[in-house]
Amino acid sequence: MINRISHTFLHVLDHDEALDFYVGKLGMVLSTDADLGTMRWLTVRFPDQPDVDLVLMKPGPPAYDDATTAEIRELVSKGAGGGLIFHTDDCRATYESLRERGVEFTQEPVERFYGIDCALRDPFGNPLRFTQPPEGPIVVPSAEELQAQQA
């Protein structure tokens, strides 16, 4: 029976730069760094979440041919690859702490119906968000209410 996610993949264009960002700046820890001959298996995780690994996957063989690799690299650099939403207990404090470490954000913390969140891109273009959930239950507004908030 399938019962949980153990790994999720994110395309990166350089493994060492990815390690510097995800470990050195975001505070994740190295889980696995293995040379498999045909590829480097590189995973990171949060210290308090040892059962979920983020695979930092560089597009290329054996998973992709040259043409597909070029297309993926282009999509990632445009921000059209995958993305992640990270949980935080304090979005504003996380934002300030990461800015001090040199992380550039594309959106400052904003209050929304689902909590407080902010946006950034990793060095390759992947969209990332940090979200602080609200104190109580999430109440999803109607489409009309959302449109009124954006006006």
Side-chain angles (χ1 to χ4, degrees):
M1 188 94 187
I2 298 171
N3 60 18
R4 67 184 178 90
I5 294 173
S6 65
H7 294 76
T8 189
F9 289 72
L10 190 67
H11 287 113
V12 299
L13 305 183
D14 180 276
H15 280 130
D16 294 327
E17 191 175 1
L19 272 178
D20 180 58
F21 181 77
Y22 286 94
V23 173
K25 295 198 171 156
L26 297 190
M28 299 179 88
V29 296
L30 178 65
S31 179
T32 305
D33 189 354
D35 180 351
L36 302 181
T38 58
M39 66 178 282
R40 183 177 177 185
W41 180 257
L42 183 61
T43 67
V44 295
R45 63 171 65 142
F46 284 104
D48 293 337
Q49 193 178 20
D51 61 336
V52 179
D53 278 353
L54 173 60
V55 180
L56 302 172
M57 184 176 178
K58 187 174 174 186
Y64 306 111
D65 61 28
D66 290 344
T68 304
T69 296
E71 289 175 13
I72 292 171
R73 291 180 67 86
E74 182 178 347
L75 288 171
V76 168
S77 65
K78 291 179 178 180
L84 296 170
I85 299 174
F86 296 105
H87 174 274
T88 181
D89 293 327
D90 187 336
C91 187
R92 289 183 175 90
T94 299
Y95 171 83
E96 291 301 331
S97 173
L98 293 177
R99 279 188 42 163
E100 289 172 7
R101 292 185 211 163
V103 174
E104 294 181 26
F105 285 79
T106 57
Q107 181 185 59
E108 295 180 359
V110 176
E111 291 198 37
R112 307 199 185 272
F113 71 89
Y114 54 82
I116 303 169
D117 81 339
C118 57
L120 64 147
R121 292 189 187 276
D122 74 5
F124 316 104
N126 291 305
L128 308 175
R129 297 191 81 84
F130 288 90
T131 301
Q132 173 188 336
E135 291 294 322
I138 295 173
V139 178
V140 180
S142 69
E144 293 81 19
E145 290 170 322
L146 283 173
Q147 286 176 347
Q149 290 173 8
Q150 294 173 358

